[in-house]
C-alpha cells in the first residue's frame, strides 16, 4: 500500500508539473486510479488539487518544486481540509485577483494643467506594453475642459462599451464627469494630482511664453512676451489675474455651470465632495513619488514597476518649464488678498491633508527610504464551514 502511495505521489507530481497540453486527460486518469486505490477522500483531494492547478495554469504561475504525501494524508478528512485550507489561503493571498485587477477596469486621469501631469502620464505610456493595458489621450478642441452634452454621452458610451480598449487609462485636460447620471452601472476610477495654486499659475504663465524641455521647438501662444510674472501682477495683467487661479476647483467640481463661476462657495464644496467620494487617489505635485508608490501598491495591474521607473526613468522628470522665475514676496502677498486664491488654497490644503492621511496608512520611511506597508488584515471565523 505504501509503495502504491509513493508511485501515486510521483505521478501526481508529474501531473502538477506538466504543461497545459494534455493535463485534463492526465487528471482524469489519475482521479480514476486514486479512487480505485483509496476511495472517495483521495479522489476528493485530487479534485481539489485540480481546481488549484487550473487556477494556477490560468494565471501562468504553475511552478511546483516538490510534493510530499504520506499514507495518513488519505485517512483523515480533517487533515485534508486543513491542508486544503492552507493551500487556498496561500493562493488567495498571493494570486487572487482583486476587483482592480479585472481586465474591464478603466482609469480616468482628468489631469490639471501644470501639475506634473505629463511626467506622470509618461510613466503610464512606458508601462502599458509591459503591464498590458491601453493608454488613450482625450484631446479636446482648444483644450476646452468642458464637453458638450452630446460629447459627454459619446464619451461615457466609449469608455464603458469599448471593450477592445480595456483595461484602459484615459488622460486629458477634462473636467470631472459623473458617469452615474448617464445610466451606466460600471463607473471608472478617477485619479488626479493637484499643486500649490500660485506655483501652478506661475508655471503656466512662463510655459505659455517659453515652453518647456519636453517640446522645446514648439512655438507657444505668448512667445515673445518677456514680461515677468511679477511685472504682470504689478501692472494688473490679465494672464496673472486672480481669476486665472480658478482651475483646480472646477476640474474637480465638474460640468455644472456653477463650477466655473470663479469664487463660488458651492463649487468649492462640490469639488471637495468629489475628491473624497469619486476619486480613488489624489496626489500632490510636491510629493509625486509617494503618489506613484501608493498607486502601484493599490493598482499593480496598471502601475507595477511605476515607482522604480519614476526614480530611474529618463522621461519621468523631463518636462520642466524654462525661464521660470519665482515670484517675489510682494507679488505673493498681493495674490493672497484675493478671495479666489483663498478658496483655491483651501481646496489644495484639503487635498494635501487627505493625501497625507492616505499616505500615513500606506507607506513608511526607514533609513531615508520609503516602503509600502504589507497587508494588515486577514479573514477568520468563516462560516458556514466547507464540508
Amino acid at each position: 500500500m505504501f509503495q502504491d502511495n509513493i508511485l501515486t505521489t510521483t505521478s501526481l507530481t508529474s501531473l502538477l508539473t506538466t504543461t497545459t497540453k494534455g493535463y485534463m486527460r492526465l487528471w482524469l486518469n489519475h482521479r480514476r486510479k486514486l479512487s480505485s486505490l483509496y476511495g472517495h477522500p483521495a479522489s476528493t483531494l485530487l479534485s481539489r488539487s485540480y481546481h488549484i492547478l487550473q487556477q494556477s495554469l490560468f494565471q501562468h504561475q504553475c511552478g511546483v518544486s516538490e510534493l510530499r504525501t504520506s499514507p495518513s494524508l488519505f485517512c483523515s478528512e480533517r487533515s485534508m481540509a486543513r491542508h486544503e485550507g492552507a493551500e487556498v489561503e496561500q493562493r488567495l493571498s498571493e494570486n487572487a485577483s482583486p476587483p482592480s485587477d479585472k481586465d474591464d477596469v478603466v482609469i480616468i486621469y482628468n489631469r490639471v494643467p501644470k501639475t506634473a501631469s505629463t511626467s506622470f502620464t509618461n510613466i503610464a505610456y512606458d508601462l502599458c506594453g509591459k503591464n498590458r493595458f491601453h493608454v488613450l489621450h482625450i484631446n479636446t478642441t482648444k483644450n476646452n475642459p468642458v464637453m458638450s452634452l452630446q460629447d459627454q454621452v459619446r464619451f461615457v458610451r466609449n469608455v464603458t462599451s469599448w471593450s477592445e480598449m480595456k483595461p484602459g487609462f484615459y488622460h486629458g485636460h477634462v473636467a470631472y464627469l459623473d458617469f452615474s447620471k448617464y445610466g451606466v452601472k460600471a463607473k471608472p476610477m478617477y485619479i488626479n494630482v493637484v499643486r500649490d495654486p500660485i506655483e501652478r499659475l506661475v508655471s503656466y504663465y512662463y510655459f505659455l511664453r517659453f515652453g518647456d524641455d519636453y517640446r522645446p521647438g514648439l512655438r507657444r501662444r505668448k512667445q515673445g512676451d518677456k514680461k515677468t510674472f511679477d511685472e504682470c501682477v504689478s501692472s494688473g495683467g490679465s494672464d496673472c489675474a486672480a481669476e486665472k487661479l480658478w482651475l483646480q476647483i472646477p476640474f474637480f467640481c465638474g460640468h455644472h455651470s456653477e463650477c466655473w463661476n470663479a469664487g463660488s462657495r458651492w463649487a468649492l464644496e462640490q469639488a471637495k465632495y468629489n475628491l473624497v467620494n469619486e476619486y480613488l487617489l489624489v496626489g500632490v505635485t510636491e510629493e509625486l513619488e509617494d503618489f506613484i508608490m501608493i498607486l502601484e501598491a493599490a493598482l499593480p495591474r496598471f502601475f507595477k514597476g511605476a515607482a522604480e521607473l519614476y526614480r530611474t526613468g529618463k522621461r519621468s522628470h523631463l518636462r520642466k518649464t524654462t525661464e521660470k522665475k519665482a515670484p517675489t514676496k510682494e507679488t505673493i502677498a498681493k495674490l493672497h488678498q484675493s478671495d479666489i486664491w483663498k478658496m483655491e488654497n483651501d481646496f489644495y490644503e484639503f487635498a494635501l491633508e487627505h493625501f497625507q492621511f492616505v499616505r500615513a496608512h500606506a507607506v513608511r520611511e526607514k533609513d531615508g527610504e520609503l516602503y509600502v506597508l504589507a497587508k494588515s488584515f486577514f479573514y477568520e471565523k468563516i462560516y458556514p464551514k466547507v464540508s
Side-chain angles (χ1 to χ4, degrees):
M1 184 73 171
F2 183 69
Q3 182 65 28
D4 286 341
N5 187 29
I6 294 175
L7 292 175
T8 304
T9 300
T10 304
S11 300
L12 187 55
T13 303
S14 174
L15 168 64
L16 291 174
T17 57
T18 191
T19 58
T20 306
K21 183 179 180 180
Y23 85 100
M24 277 289 293
R25 176 178 52 81
L26 288 173
W27 173 75
L28 290 172
N29 291 337
H30 282 273
R31 178 177 180 177
R32 285 194 293 268
K33 183 175 181 181
L34 280 182
S35 297
S36 62
L37 288 173
Y38 308 113
H40 172 71
S43 175
T44 302
L45 174 64
L46 191 55
S47 297
R48 292 168 179 172
S49 299
Y50 161 69
H51 175 73
I52 294 172
L53 173 62
Q54 186 183 42
Q55 182 186 40
S56 299
L57 287 170
F58 177 76
Q59 296 173 336
H60 306 288
Q61 295 176 352
C62 182
V64 180
S65 57
E66 184 178 9
L67 177 68
R68 299 182 182 274
T69 61
S70 65
S72 61
L73 179 63
F74 298 108
C75 300
S76 171
E77 284 280 3
R78 182 174 298 176
S79 64
M80 182 176 64
R82 284 198 299 267
H83 177 78
E84 179 196 23
E87 284 284 332
V88 171
E89 182 178 356
Q90 180 180 0
R91 292 189 177 275
L92 283 174
S93 62
E94 294 179 356
N95 299 329
S97 299
S100 59
D101 281 1
K102 293 181 179 179
D103 280 347
D104 61 352
V105 170
V106 172
I107 296 174
I108 295 181
Y109 173 34
N110 64 316
R111 43 195 283 199
V112 179
K114 306 311 297 178
T115 57
S117 62
T118 299
S119 297
F120 175 62
T121 303
N122 280 338
I123 293 176
Y125 277 111
D126 287 342
L127 290 175
C128 65
K130 179 181 179 181
N131 292 348
R132 303 188 309 281
F133 64 91
H134 302 274
V135 181
L136 300 89
H137 179 215
I138 310 164
N139 191 344
T140 59
T141 303
K142 296 183 179 180
N143 285 329
N144 186 357
V146 177
M147 291 183 176
S148 66
L149 181 60
Q150 57 269 33
D151 276 348
Q152 293 176 38
V153 174
R154 293 187 188 106
F155 179 65
V156 170
R157 185 186 304 123
N158 289 157
V159 169
T160 55
S161 63
W162 198 359
S163 57
E164 292 81 4
M165 291 296 109
K166 295 179 182 179
F169 178 91
Y170 291 75
H171 68 95
H173 298 312
V174 180
Y176 168 77
L177 200 61
D178 181 8
F179 275 55
S180 62
K181 68 184 289 185
Y182 301 92
V184 298
K185 294 181 180 179
K187 295 173 64 175
M189 289 188 289
Y190 273 90
I191 62 172
N192 216 327
V193 177
V194 296
R195 186 178 184 179
D196 176 276
I198 291 182
E199 290 184 5
R200 193 206 65 80
L201 179 59
V202 170
S203 180
Y204 188 64
Y205 177 88
Y206 286 107
F207 172 74
L208 292 179
R209 286 154 178 78
F210 302 101
D212 54 27
D213 53 6
Y214 184 63
R215 291 184 290 179
L218 184 63
R219 183 175 179 84
R220 300 298 174 178
R221 192 192 327 161
K222 297 287 184 175
Q223 187 168 328
D225 182 4
K226 304 296 184 181
K227 186 183 294 184
T228 67
F229 187 80
D230 290 327
E231 292 170 343
C232 177
V233 172
S234 178
S235 62
S238 60
D239 285 348
C240 55
E243 287 76 14
K244 295 293 184 180
L245 291 166
W246 190 259
L247 192 67
Q248 297 186 132
I249 287 175
F251 258 70
F252 280 80
C253 179
H255 278 69
H256 193 286
S257 61
E258 186 66 15
C259 296
W260 298 89
N261 182 9
S264 167
R265 176 64 58 177
W266 180 88
L268 170 61
E269 297 305 321
Q270 185 64 37
K272 288 181 177 180
Y273 175 87
N274 288 343
L275 185 150
V276 172
N277 295 283
E278 304 297 340
Y279 282 78
L280 174 70
L281 183 65
V282 176
V284 293
T285 303
E286 296 80 3
E287 299 171 7
L288 189 61
E289 182 176 352
D290 299 8
F291 169 75
I292 293 171
M293 285 185 63
I294 298 172
L295 270 183
E296 180 175 350
L299 299 172
R301 175 67 180 82
F302 287 82
F303 298 108
K304 182 178 180 180
E308 181 65 21
L309 186 61
Y310 178 78
R311 287 189 289 264
T312 62
K314 295 181 179 179
R315 297 207 299 165
S316 299
H317 308 276
L318 181 59
R319 191 161 203 172
K320 295 181 180 179
T321 302
T322 57
E323 302 292 332
K324 183 171 63 176
K325 297 178 176 64
T328 63
K329 293 181 180 179
E330 292 76 17
T331 296
I332 294 174
K334 189 171 184 178
L335 290 173
H336 281 184
Q337 296 173 8
S338 165
D339 289 338
I340 293 177
W341 172 82
K342 292 175 183 177
M343 298 180 73
E344 274 282 343
N345 192 63
D346 183 355
F347 177 72
Y348 169 75
E349 290 185 348
F350 178 84
L352 175 61
E353 181 181 3
H354 183 63
F355 174 71
Q356 290 177 339
F357 176 83
V358 173
R359 184 183 62 183
H361 291 80
V363 301
R364 288 288 184 273
E365 183 176 351
K366 183 178 181 181
D367 299 329
E369 296 289 335
L370 292 174
Y371 65 94
V372 177
L373 293 176
K375 188 179 76 170
S376 59
F377 75 94
F378 62 94
Y379 301 104
E380 62 178 2
K381 300 179 182 178
I382 304 172
Y383 290 87
K385 295 293 186 180
V386 178
S387 57

